[in-house]
Amino acid sequence: MGKKAKSSRKGKKAWRANISTAEIEDFFEKSTKDALSGGSLTDLPSDSLFYVDKSKDLSVKRKIEKHREKVLRSESVLQKNPFVQAVPSSLKNAKKLKKKQKEVPTSNDAAVVASKENCVSVSGMVDLWEGEGEGHNKGKKRTKPTPIPAVEVEPPGCSFNPSFESHQDSLAKAVAEEMQKVYKKELGPQPVPLTVTGEKIDEEDMYFLDADDGSDDDKNMESDNEDIALEKRSAKKTKMVTRVELNRRARRKERQKIEAKENKKEEISKEIESLPHILQEIAREDEEKHKRKVRRVIAKQERLKARPPRLGKHKFQSAPQQVLLSEEITGSLRKLKACCTLARDRFKSFEKRGLIAPTAKTGKK
């Protein structure tokens, strides 16, 4: 550091020689810097100087979540068994499990239900005597309504004292059903027999059958084919293709390409001209599809009225119509012959409505 300059001891006019201009130079430097940077920061408002960074580091967050979701193979194997509780793989997970188990239920019912669900999900077990008087039963699945009524009213010809015409109609219907079963059994495909009738072939005859297998004919055919193939190869080898023939083939190919392009243009022009006809055909096809769909829906509804949907491996077989013969009609309830029971009728009704899966017929033991 040099010595401080001595002030002039002369008059006031001589003091100007020793006046410092450092502050003025600093001010000018600062002003030039502010002008180059876009203005002084003291004049700007605080909102433009400071802001809140609301952006999130998504990559880091994804890494953390992926690390938390990672499950060891030993834990994944134990999770398959609901009665075995997996040991937590780290201290952090163990602390989280303890916190979940020690949660105190609040006064709100929603919080109590949430804490119970968390405890159940962690342990996998449910306390049977946790809430006395509260049912843990799940809601029953609602069955689809069927168009088949619970109690079907039989035709008037099936009553104990029917009129002659209604009785004949019901009797004819029952006879038609029985005859249909008979015809189906007679005209249907015959089952494969378990045993085939015939005489046993001796060992000597077997040798003759094995010898006569037509091997000579096959060998002759193969030799003929080989001769034809050799002749074709020799003909191909001997025939030489000249330059004139090659030029003719090239011209033929170009002509075919040109003709194919012209045919394609003609086809496109014909399709453009027949656009109204094509649109009419599309509309007609859409209408036919819609009608077919409506018919299919109606047919399905009619089938559901007659028989239930398939529930098991056995098909539903409706009970035969209970019609009295003309000799059995007495006109009196005292002399009426017992034909069916109420339990069997209700069981068939349950099967028809799809509430019970149909079972196979079992003979009397």
Side-chain angles (χ1 to χ4, degrees):
M1 297 291 290
K3 291 183 179 180
K4 191 177 180 181
K6 294 180 181 181
S7 61
S8 178
R9 294 181 180 178
K10 295 179 182 180
K12 290 182 180 180
K13 290 182 180 179
W15 290 358
R16 294 176 185 172
N18 297 325
I19 291 172
S20 175
T21 59
E23 293 180 359
I24 298 168
E25 289 174 358
D26 292 340
F27 175 74
F28 279 123
E29 285 179 4
K30 189 177 180 183
S31 61
T32 52
K33 282 181 181 179
D34 293 340
L36 291 170
S37 63
S40 63
L41 298 175
T42 56
D43 299 336
L44 293 173
S46 59
D47 297 337
S48 62
L49 293 174
F50 306 100
Y51 68 94
V52 180
D53 188 8
K54 295 182 179 180
S55 63
K56 296 179 181 179
D57 196 354
L58 296 176
S59 60
V60 176
K61 188 177 179 183
R62 286 198 191 100
K63 286 179 182 178
I64 293 167
E65 289 178 353
K66 191 175 180 181
H67 182 69
R68 285 176 181 171
E69 292 174 358
K70 191 175 180 181
V71 182
L72 295 176
R73 189 174 182 281
S74 58
E75 291 182 4
S76 64
V77 169
L78 291 173
Q79 281 175 2
K80 293 177 183 178
N81 192 345
F83 300 104
V84 179
Q85 185 179 357
V87 180
S89 59
S90 63
L91 296 173
K92 292 180 181 180
N93 293 338
K95 288 178 182 178
K96 286 179 183 178
L97 291 174
K98 285 180 181 178
K99 284 181 182 179
K100 285 183 179 180
Q101 288 174 358
K102 291 181 180 179
E103 277 180 357
V104 181
T106 57
S107 58
N108 295 332
D109 297 335
V112 172
V113 173
S115 64
K116 285 180 182 177
E117 288 178 357
N118 289 333
C119 292
V120 169
S121 63
V122 169
S123 62
M125 304 292 285
V126 180
D127 189 7
L128 296 175
W129 292 274
E130 183 180 357
E132 251 181 273
E134 296 180 3
H136 296 284
N137 295 329
K138 294 181 181 179
K140 293 181 179 178
K141 292 182 180 179
R142 294 184 179 179
T143 56
K144 293 181 180 179
T146 58
I148 303 168
V151 180
E152 295 184 10
V153 181
E154 291 184 345
C158 297
S159 63
F160 72 98
N161 191 18
S163 61
F164 180 74
E165 293 179 357
S166 59
H167 178 257
Q168 291 298 318
D169 293 340
S170 300
L171 199 62
K173 190 176 180 182
V175 170
E177 289 177 0
E178 292 297 327
M179 291 304 296
Q180 193 174 3
K181 291 178 184 177
V182 172
Y183 291 148
K184 190 175 181 181
K185 190 175 180 180
E186 289 180 354
L187 302 175
Q190 297 295 328
V192 179
L194 298 174
T195 57
V196 180
T197 58
E199 296 179 358
K200 189 177 179 181
I201 301 172
D202 299 333
E203 292 183 0
E204 296 178 357
D205 297 337
M206 287 288 291
Y207 290 130
F208 289 114
L209 290 172
D210 294 336
D212 190 13
D213 56 353
S215 58
D216 297 335
D217 297 336
D218 295 338
K219 288 179 182 177
N220 294 330
M221 290 291 289
E222 287 177 0
S223 61
D224 294 340
N225 292 331
E226 288 177 0
D227 295 338
I228 293 165
L230 287 171
E231 288 176 2
K232 287 182 179 179
R233 286 174 191 170
S234 60
K236 285 181 181 177
K237 286 179 181 178
T238 54
K239 189 176 181 181
M240 296 293 290
V241 181
T242 58
R243 177 61 61 182
V244 177
E245 183 66 24
L246 292 173
N247 293 335
R248 193 181 294 114
R249 289 179 184 177
R251 287 195 297 274
R252 192 186 301 117
K253 284 184 181 179
E254 289 179 0
R255 203 182 307 116
Q256 287 175 356
K257 285 182 182 179
I258 294 166
E259 288 176 358
K261 286 182 181 178
E262 290 178 355
N263 292 333
K264 196 171 183 180
K265 286 180 182 178
E266 288 179 1
E267 288 177 0
I268 291 169
S269 60
K270 285 179 181 178
E271 288 179 356
I272 292 168
E273 289 174 358
S274 63
L275 267 177
H277 184 63
I278 292 169
L279 292 173
Q280 288 178 2
E281 286 184 355
I282 291 168
R284 201 181 302 115
E285 286 178 0
D286 292 340
E287 190 177 356
E288 287 178 359
K289 284 181 181 177
H290 180 67
K291 288 180 180 178
R292 205 180 299 122
K293 188 178 179 181
V294 171
R295 284 198 300 271
R296 202 180 295 120
V297 170
I298 294 169
K300 188 178 180 181
Q301 290 176 356
E302 293 294 330
R303 283 198 306 272
L304 287 174
K305 287 179 183 178
R307 64 173 183 269
R310 190 74 174 267
L311 297 178
K313 61 179 181 178
H314 301 292
K315 291 183 179 180
F316 170 74
Q317 292 181 356
S318 58
Q321 201 171 16
Q322 302 297 329
V323 186
L324 296 174
L325 299 175
S326 12
E327 297 87 9
E328 295 173 351
I329 296 173
T330 56
S332 174
L333 284 171
R334 293 176 183 274
K335 299 177 182 179
L336 185 64
K337 183 182 176 182
C339 55
C340 65
T341 59
L342 184 61
R344 192 180 297 131
D345 181 51
R346 289 296 86 208
F347 187 76
K348 280 291 179 184
S349 176
F350 286 145
E351 284 185 351
K352 193 172 184 179
R353 284 181 286 161
L355 303 174
I356 298 174
T359 55
K361 283 185 178 182
T362 54
K364 292 182 180 180
K365 294 182 181 179

